[in-house]
Amino acid sequence: MSLRPSSGNGLLDAGLNPAQLQAVTHRDGPLLILAGPGSGKTRVITHRIAWLLSQGIPGRQIVGLTFTNKAADEMRQRVASLVPRSNVWVGTFHRFCARLLRLYAPQVGLSENYSILDVEDSRRLLAEAILESEVDLSHTTPEAIAQEISWAKNHLMRPEEYVPRRTSHLAAIVARVYPAYQRRLLAANAADFDDLLLHAALLLKENPELRRDLDERYRYILVDEYQDTNFAQYAIVRALSIDHPNLTVTGDPDQSIYGWRGANLSNILDFERDFPQVKVVRLEQNYRSTQAILAVADTLIQHNQRRKPKRLFTHNPPGAPVRLIAYPTQHDEAEDIAARIAQAVRQGQRRPRDFAIFYRTNALSRALEHALREQGLPYQLVHGLEFYQRKEVKDVLAYLQLVHNPRNDAALLRVINTPVRGIGRSTLERLRMHAQRRGLCLLDAAREAGVVEGLSKKAATAVARFVALIDQLGTHVHQPLRELMEAVLDLSDYREVLQNSESEEEMERLANIEELLTVASEFDVKHPEGGGLERFLEETSLVSDTDAWQSEADHVTLMTLHAAKGLEFPVVYIVACEQGLLPHERSRFDEEKLEEERRLLFVGITRAREELQLSYAQYRAYRGQFAPTIPSGFLMELPREQMKVVDHQPAAALDDDEEFVEADELEEGFGDEGATTWESAEPSPDEDVDVCQVPPEEAQPTTRRRQRRRLRPGKRSLTSPVVTGAELLSRRSKDAEGFGFQVAMEVEHPHYGRGVITALEGLAPRQLATVFFYAEKQSRTFRLDLAPLAPVSS
DNA sequence: TGTGAGTTGATTTTT
DNA sequence: TCAACTCACA
């Protein structure tokens, strides 16, 4: 950005523009900062904190709340560089609540040594609750139940207060499972992520005195990314801003991309209604991107209805046009992008770290990784089995969890037979029965192994030894973390078992454990006062994938669009701009979700500083299916004058395995030597009619060849609502044996119109269909996995 | 009780 | 495609 950071002294001459200055120096009362991308928002918040401090407000009265750890770290550092040792608390909502709950745990039914369960552990608990509730899962999934419970918690409904959005099969199930799940959580002295917010919000709601005290204590609250707050988070900041309504929120409704997780766009859209005295500041000047990039972003987002109108502008140079490229397949896409990056790096124009590639779903990273490896480019993937999700790391942490909170059954289940010590399924089942009968946690049930019904002597001995192990570890709790962890590894034989293995995988596990030990050492150094176990466990349970991303390292960054929020790169590639992926298939029928998808693309676009490329592949292998795609509808909404549209030519023709396909179809299926697919597809109103547009009367058999050449898969779909790639995909996966087509079935082809299937031959995925088209009075044969045939729904 | 093969079913985004 | 889960067998 072109605004230079201040040198640390004079706050007000830091080169802030008038709007920024207004926001920074607003003293008391609610403040809403509507900040477009790249408008210097973080700078404004940090300077505002510094300014408040300079006004004599004690640091301990100021709280900065963010959504991610990364954002919190950055804010903390930047505040520290402006005002060292300020005592301002900066952290995520979840951490803030976790801290609060340590102090008031008994009031919500927990003890202060409660555990925070990650998604995996809470899903396991949920699975047990589902089993216990004996509900019929045939019309729903555990995932759906989890989401609904999460929704309820985010709306501050306890199990007994649960009121579904609408009565449904799912609601009836949740009404039974939610209480059972919550019972288990409390019994295990554990909280899931949603609980942290739920408990904290209810604590504030139901304890007026406590609320008043905390309101008094935290007089100035600043919330970043306010558009991503859910109802529970809203309730928390609201409760802390009644007597002292010095609440500053910043955000951008256009960058709200967590609606699926309960984020409520209304929180920011209605902020002015909630706080009538609010002062509103708009930061619309962008310091990050070129004019071309910003224009593309701005034009796209104008298509959303639910937003606060705002117009982005920049004084930056126009910059290169945004590229939009159609590739034949995802391999061409990945290879070309990797080649472009490699070339720029080789020529010394850029370094690998200047580049980022964004995609909608993690599964899309594979081809890109492969291509980057081929080019010998270093890259970093932000996702997946992140460090704290790895089995070995979770195992070791589970020992610590169990030592810290003996009631944490999830942790016990994780480690009681890891490494293997002869405690199998049936033994566990008996322990569980015993625990249930006697109302004990599993560890206490294990203590009574001798009297557990049906337990063999051998099993009882093994269990007793495990209990002894945990007890012995318990004697180490007050030692430095590193030593405690070493004790876990040695006494449990965990390390020995790994060391005795020869496999590559186990070696890697050992290395990861070494890394975990290093983390523990560092933690010990940071917290020499001891007693760090609780804090350590809290920190490790609240880390996320994106936290591992190292911005300093010199490699190409691969990440999802969601993970990209808050970052910026000189060059950005956004791949797979295709219907079904972006927008995602699940958002297809819901206008609100569709707008969120559009915001997601908006976020991606606005990460780019100098160069941006959007692309899609005409054919993509996804979920093991190789199928034609349809370009994202969002691409139609972008301004052409800021863009350069390119049809990528594959290095080698794609002709490997299409021997059964009619020549015409082959040509139609893949790109030819001609013009762009997308550009010529549908002239936008503000553009001259494209030369490739074919008038209807020309669509005669004699000109068919020419015409068909222009109507390749991408464009077909743009003009024809008949079938979408997502529909094709879902239809295909539904019917593994064929594609769901039958002889005599009426079908529609976007080009040939309606027809009837007269013959089917072969098996999927190479099933062929012969279709007689009414208009042409002629039959044609297609490969069903390639041709855009859709059954006529009547 | 532990292991391995085979099957099934799902497959967005994350504190 | 792939991971999780089941089931059979040692």
Side-chain angles (χ1 to χ4, degrees):
Chain A
M1 68 169 65
S2 60
L3 267 182
R4 298 269 57 92
S6 89
S7 51
N9 32 28
L11 283 171
L12 302 183
D13 61 346
L16 297 166
N17 69 31
Q20 292 175 327
L21 197 61
Q22 254 192 328
V24 166
T25 57
H26 170 81
R27 175 66 199 250
D28 289 343
L31 171 67
L32 168 64
I33 304 172
L34 288 169
S39 61
K41 176 192 57 168
T42 310
R43 232 175 132 241
V44 166
I45 301 188
T46 49
H47 276 79
R48 173 160 168 73
I49 292 175
W51 184 82
L52 288 171
L53 290 167
S54 78
Q55 299 298 298
I57 292 156
R60 63 186 299 275
Q61 294 185 356
I62 304 176
V63 177
L65 292 173
T66 66
F67 208 63
T68 66
N69 292 303
K70 190 148 56 69
D73 290 344
E74 191 185 344
M75 193 186 292
R76 197 177 302 121
Q77 275 169 27
R78 285 168 78 162
V79 169
S81 78
L82 291 170
V83 186
R85 292 183 303 281
S86 66
N87 230 352
V88 173
W89 195 89
V90 175
T92 64
F93 268 102
H94 286 83
R95 209 162 282 233
F96 180 78
C97 294
R99 238 179 53 132
L100 208 62
L101 288 183
R102 292 276 170 227
L103 301 173
Y104 305 101
Q107 300 201 35
V108 300
L110 296 167
S111 0
E112 67 280 0
N113 63 337
Y114 72 90
S115 302
I116 301 169
L117 299 191
D118 66 5
V119 174
E120 193 187 332
D121 289 342
S122 44
R123 283 306 138 80
R124 206 157 280 176
L125 214 61
L126 179 65
E128 289 173 18
I130 290 172
L131 224 57
E132 178 196 315
S133 312
E134 292 179 330
V135 293
D136 175 22
L137 277 187
S138 54
H139 294 293
T140 183
T141 62
E143 190 52 41
I145 297 173
Q147 288 225 1
E148 182 68 8
I149 291 178
S150 177
W151 177 86
K153 288 186 173 182
N154 287 159
H155 287 80
L156 307 186
M157 296 173 191
R158 294 194 180 89
E160 63 274 16
E161 296 154 353
Y162 171 63
V163 181
R165 280 168 275 193
R166 54 185 174 277
T167 51
S168 67
H169 180 61
L170 177 65
I173 289 177
V174 169
R176 288 170 62 186
V177 174
Y178 183 16
Y181 173 62
Q182 203 63 7
R183 255 200 317 277
R184 278 167 188 272
L185 277 170
L186 290 177
N189 189 25
D192 64 18
F193 287 139
D194 296 320
D195 277 345
L196 296 176
L197 304 176
L198 172 77
H199 288 319
L202 292 178
L203 197 62
L204 291 167
K205 188 175 162 193
E206 290 163 3
N207 299 277
E209 244 169 73
L210 175 62
R211 189 211 62 74
R212 206 167 334 114
D213 289 351
L214 292 172
D215 193 344
E216 184 75 19
R217 160 93 205 261
Y218 303 116
R219 295 216 194 156
Y220 289 83
I221 298 179
L222 297 93
V223 182
D224 194 15
E225 307 280 14
Y226 189 69
Q227 76 280 354
D228 284 331
T229 52
N230 61 32
F231 182 74
Q233 287 160 326
Y234 166 81
I236 291 165
V237 287
R238 192 83 217 257
L240 294 175
S241 308
I242 293 175
D243 308 321
H244 300 277
N246 307 317
L247 176 63
T248 298
V249 304
T250 73
D252 180 0
D254 293 335
Q255 293 185 63
S256 164
I257 54 176
Y258 285 103
W260 52 276
R261 216 170 76 187
N264 190 350
L265 200 46
S266 310
N267 289 348
I268 191 164
L269 294 178
D270 297 342
F271 191 80
E272 295 166 78
R273 199 197 58 201
D274 290 337
F275 295 90
Q277 305 300 314
V278 69
K279 166 149 184 106
V280 181
V281 176
R282 281 164 196 272
L283 305 180
E284 293 176 311
Q285 181 172 358
N286 177 294
Y287 296 96
R288 179 187 295 152
S289 309
T290 64
Q291 287 175 24
I293 291 167
L294 203 64
V296 169
D298 197 35
T299 310
L300 173 73
I301 205 64
Q302 304 284 340
H303 286 81
N304 271 10
Q305 302 299 317
R306 270 198 96 199
R307 65 190 295 263
K308 282 182 182 279
K310 113 169 131 335
R311 206 84 215 193
L312 303 173
F313 70 97
T314 182
H315 296 324
N316 286 346
V322 172
R323 288 194 302 277
L324 172 59
I325 306 195
Y327 293 101
T329 72
Q330 84 265 30
H331 298 296
D332 300 288
E333 184 180 55
E335 280 163 22
D336 183 56
I337 290 172
R340 283 168 185 266
I341 295 174
Q343 195 188 15
V345 171
R346 260 199 310 276
Q347 292 175 347
Q349 297 163 348
R350 299 206 186 265
R351 304 171 53 186
R353 58 177 291 182
D354 294 336
F355 297 91
I357 309 176
F358 302 151
Y359 34 79
R360 177 65 229 265
T361 72
N362 281 310
L364 293 167
S365 69
R366 197 153 289 152
L368 295 162
E369 287 180 72
H370 182 74
L372 290 169
R373 266 199 304 273
E374 298 259 290
Q375 291 284 353
L377 286 165
Y379 64 88
Q380 185 179 9
L381 200 66
V382 182
H383 103 283
L385 267 192
E386 256 334 307
F387 188 65
Y388 288 103
Q389 309 273 15
R390 284 175 207 213
K391 181 184 180 307
E392 59 278 16
V393 173
K394 287 203 69 173
D395 287 345
V396 174
L397 289 176
Y399 276 102
L400 300 183
Q401 294 272 14
L402 186 57
V403 169
H404 181 63
N405 171 17
R407 279 157 61 195
N408 190 334
D409 288 355
L412 179 137
L413 289 172
R414 193 168 182 104
V415 297
I416 192 167
N417 204 29
T418 323
V420 183
R421 41 175 84 86
I423 303 176
R425 211 176 34 219
S426 52
T427 304
L428 269 179
E429 200 40 53
R430 290 189 182 114
L431 273 183
R432 218 193 285 256
M433 295 292 289
H434 185 74
Q436 201 166 19
R437 252 198 314 271
R438 307 280 308 271
L440 300 171
C441 66
L442 284 176
L443 188 62
D444 284 339
R447 286 184 196 286
E448 303 178 356
V451 299
V452 170
E453 204 174 307
L455 216 57
S456 72
K457 187 128 191 255
K458 195 167 135 227
T461 315
V463 170
R465 284 180 56 191
F466 175 74
V467 173
L469 165 68
I470 298 302
D471 286 344
Q472 198 183 352
L473 289 174
T475 63
H476 293 263
V477 278
H478 297 297
Q479 292 176 355
L481 213 56
R482 165 96 193 202
E483 285 172 36
L484 173 60
M485 210 178 276
E486 295 276 7
V488 167
L489 291 168
D490 292 336
L491 298 176
S492 72
D493 291 337
Y494 202 98
R495 178 165 3 208
E496 198 187 334
V497 169
L498 286 186
Q499 274 168 347
N500 290 340
S501 164
E502 293 293 305
S503 81
E504 185 91 0
E505 201 185 342
E506 313 287 281
M507 299 307 284
E508 200 175 307
R509 289 185 195 278
L510 265 181
N512 286 327
I513 285 177
E514 284 305 321
E515 203 178 325
L516 185 62
L517 284 168
T518 311
V519 173
S521 300
E522 286 169 0
F523 197 87
D524 285 330
V525 173
K526 251 198 287 180
H527 304 279
E529 72 280 5
L533 178 58
E534 186 165 286
R535 280 179 88 157
F536 181 75
L537 290 175
E538 186 177 307
E539 286 199 10
T540 50
S541 13
L542 291 176
V543 292
S544 73
D545 293 349
T546 39
D547 297 330
W549 181 72
Q550 301 163 11
S551 45
E552 323 81 42
D554 194 13
H555 39 217
V556 178
T557 299
L558 271 70
M559 54 169 62
T560 63
L561 285 161
H562 282 89
K565 194 167 72 159
L567 305 175
E568 57 176 49
F569 299 88
V571 185
V572 165
Y573 293 88
I574 302 178
V575 301
C577 298
E578 293 149 24
Q579 292 293 104
L581 283 168
L582 182 66
H584 194 272
E585 187 181 348
R586 295 198 182 188
S587 308
R588 198 154 36 119
F589 300 113
D590 184 330
E591 191 52 41
E592 256 184 49
K593 286 185 181 165
L594 213 57
E595 291 208 348
E596 180 155 316
E597 298 282 317
R598 192 179 280 112
R599 292 194 292 268
L600 197 51
L601 180 56
F602 174 80
V603 166
I605 289 172
T606 53
R607 302 306 96 195
R609 285 214 293 260
E610 296 157 25
E611 262 183 67
L612 172 67
Q613 171 178 321
L614 307 173
S615 64
Y616 66 91
Q618 291 162 324
Y619 281 77
R620 182 173 299 276
Y622 192 64
R623 292 189 199 166
Q625 297 264 359
F626 189 63
T629 68
I630 292 166
S632 168
F634 296 151
L635 297 177
M636 316 301 312
E637 301 169 359
L638 306 179
R640 311 293 169 76
E641 50 296 348
Q642 310 289 346
M643 306 181 64
K644 183 178 166 198
V645 183
V646 184
D647 198 13
H648 182 82
Q649 291 307 300
L654 282 146
D655 53 3
D656 12 4
D657 59 349
E658 314 305 329
E659 64 269 21
F660 284 111
V661 183
E662 192 184 330
D664 280 351
E665 282 309 307
L666 188 68
E667 187 192 29
E668 181 166 324
F670 296 108
D672 60 12
E673 70 286 356
T676 79
T677 298
W678 179 76
E679 185 179 47
S680 53
E682 178 185 281
S684 66
D686 56 344
E687 202 180 47
D688 289 341
V689 171
D690 194 279
V691 285
C692 286
Q693 191 68 10
V694 180
E697 64 272 19
E698 206 184 309
Q700 299 297 321
T702 44
T703 58
R704 213 182 60 228
R705 247 193 95 78
R706 278 199 45 175
Q707 182 194 353
R708 207 177 305 133
R709 180 175 292 173
R710 295 171 191 129
L711 286 170
R712 272 166 291 139
K715 84 176 52 160
R716 258 200 304 261
S717 48
L718 292 174
T719 47
S720 158
V722 175
V723 65
T724 67
E727 276 166 8
L728 280 172
L729 279 175
S730 65
R731 268 180 214 140
R732 279 167 195 183
S733 54
K734 264 181 209 133
D735 190 340
E737 278 158 38
F739 295 114
F741 291 95
Q742 290 165 6
V743 172
M745 185 186 254
E746 268 212 309
V747 292
E748 186 149 15
H749 188 284
H751 177 200
Y752 301 110
R754 289 200 176 188
V756 59
I757 296 180
T758 55
L760 287 171
E761 52 180 305
L763 292 172
R766 301 215 167 175
Q767 195 174 27
L768 300 178
T770 304
V771 179
F772 178 83
F773 288 98
Y774 305 133
E776 288 185 287
K777 296 189 169 54
Q778 188 181 334
S779 287
R780 303 180 164 276
T781 301
F782 301 89
R783 244 184 81 172
L784 283 172
D785 57 336
L786 296 177
L789 277 179
V792 176
S793 48
S794 49

